Amino acid sequence: MKKYRPYYFILLLLIIFMGIMSRKTDLIPLYIGDFLYAVMMYVFIRTLLIEKKSIQIMITSLLICYAIEFSQLYQAIWINELRNTLAGRYTLGQGFLWSDILAYTLGISLTFMIERMLLKHKF
C-alpha cells in the first residue's frame, strides 16, 4: 500500500483545487463543495494511514466530517472569529446544515466504494 501514497497525495491536491474552484462559481451547487470536502477528508486520512483497512478510513473520515459539522452549532466568539478567516471558513465551515451531513456521507461512501473496486482492499 505504501507505493500508493504519492498517488493519494496528488489526488488530494487535485481534490482540494477542485473544491476551492467549486466555491468560486455560482454554476456549481454548494453541496458539490461539501461532497468534495468529504472526498478530500477520506483521501487525506488514507494518505496518513495508508496501511489501515478501508472501513477504518471510512469511519474515521465520517467521524471527523460529522464532528466538524456539529461543531458549527457551537457559537463562541473565539471560534466564530476563526471561522471568519479564509482558512477557518474552508476548514471549519460557517453553519450547521443537515444537507452537509448527507453530502459528507455520500462523498465518503462513494470514495470508499471506488477505492474498494479499484484496489481490491479487504475490510
Side-chain angles (χ1 to χ4, degrees), residues 8 11-25 28-45 61 65 90-91 99-111 114:
Y8 278 105
L11 181 61
L12 176 67
L13 295 177
L14 178 63
I15 293 165
I16 290 170
F17 175 77
M18 290 179 356
I20 291 170
M21 291 298 102
S22 77
R23 298 294 190 196
K24 300 290 183 190
T25 178
I28 300 173
L30 286 176
Y31 67 86
I32 297 297
D34 298 318
F35 180 90
L36 289 170
Y37 183 87
V39 173
M40 183 263 326
M41 187 61 69
Y42 185 98
V43 174
F44 177 68
I45 299 300
S61 302
C65 285
Y90 282 150
T91 306
S99 60
D100 290 352
I101 297 290
L102 179 60
Y104 299 151
T105 304
L106 292 174
I108 289 171
S109 298
L110 183 62
T111 307
I114 290 170

Side-chain angles (χ1 to χ4, degrees), residues 7 10 14 19 25 30 36 43-44 50 54 58 61 63 68 80 92 100-102 112 123:
Y7 299 108
I10 291 167
L14 178 63
T25 178
L30 286 176
L36 289 170
V43 174
F44 177 68
I50 198 77
S54 296
M58 182 180 83
S61 302
L63 290 175
I68 290 170
N80 286 339
L92 302 175
D100 290 352
I101 297 290
L102 179 60
F112 169 78
F123 279 95

Side-chain angles (χ1 to χ4, degrees), residues 22-101:
S22 77
R23 298 294 190 196
K24 300 290 183 190
T25 178
D26 293 333
L27 299 174
I28 300 173
L30 286 176
Y31 67 86
I32 297 297
D34 298 318
F35 180 90
L36 289 170
Y37 183 87
V39 173
M40 183 263 326
M41 187 61 69
Y42 185 98
V43 174
F44 177 68
I45 299 300
R46 168 56 74 203
T47 302
L48 292 177
L49 306 174
I50 198 77
E51 296 295 330
K52 297 293 182 184
K53 294 180 181 179
S54 296
I55 192 74
Q56 293 171 302
I57 301 301
M58 182 180 83
I59 291 169
T60 302
S61 302
L62 280 171
L63 290 175
I64 291 169
C65 285
Y66 292 169
I68 290 170
E69 189 64 25
F70 280 102
S71 77
Q72 294 171 24
L73 295 171
Y74 180 65
Q75 294 295 315
I77 293 171
W78 69 270
I79 199 161
N80 286 339
E81 289 176 359
L82 183 59
R83 287 183 184 121
N84 287 331
T85 67
L86 182 63
R89 187 169 44 256
Y90 282 150
T91 306
L92 302 175
Q94 293 288 75
F96 177 85
L97 293 171
W98 283 106
S99 60
D100 290 352
I101 297 290

